[in-house]
Amino acid sequence: MKTLRWKKDAAETGLRAVGAAPRSHRLRDSNGKEYAWVAPNGGGWIRPQNGWYWVCVIDGHHENTCGTPVADVATAKAEARAFVNKVLKAGEME
């Protein structure tokens, strides 16, 4: 099984930082390949934030939860990691 870690996106700088939404997080392996990302649903000057969603596109499997955001980033990360682990385990069994 690959070692996957969450990495937070870089912070906005200058005037963009004033109205910036919370930063997204990306699930990557040691080679930099991305497996999923978690992002705020709204926030900043765009619109009020109403939760967090995650997106995963690996090996022909796709999931996007922007229509059903969860309350906090920890829950979104846990759901995304569970989906990635399920897809990766299914690939190992084939």
Side-chain angles (χ1 to χ4, degrees):
M1 184 59 94
K2 300 175 191 246
T3 302
L4 302 176
R5 299 192 194 292
W6 287 103
K7 181 172 176 158
K8 198 179 238 189
D9 286 353
E12 295 286 355
T13 59
L15 287 177
R16 290 182 60 133
V18 174
R23 294 186 281 169
S24 299
H25 304 259
R26 298 178 187 274
L27 187 62
R28 298 179 178 173
D29 65 13
S30 58
N31 296 325
K33 180 180 177 185
E34 288 185 9
Y35 291 85
W37 65 91
V38 171
N41 197 17
W45 286 343
I46 301 169
R47 64 179 185 270
Q49 182 180 348
N50 65 348
W52 292 81
Y53 70 96
W54 56 272
V55 176
C56 176
V57 181
I58 52 173
D59 300 334
H61 296 85
H62 178 266
E63 188 72 28
N64 184 338
T65 64
C66 69
T68 56
V70 294
D72 59 23
V73 68
T75 304
K77 283 179 167 182
E79 289 179 4
R81 186 178 287 270
F83 182 82
V84 168
N85 287 342
K86 183 177 85 172
V87 170
L88 292 177
K89 278 186 181 178
E92 288 176 359
M93 292 180 178
E94 293 176 354

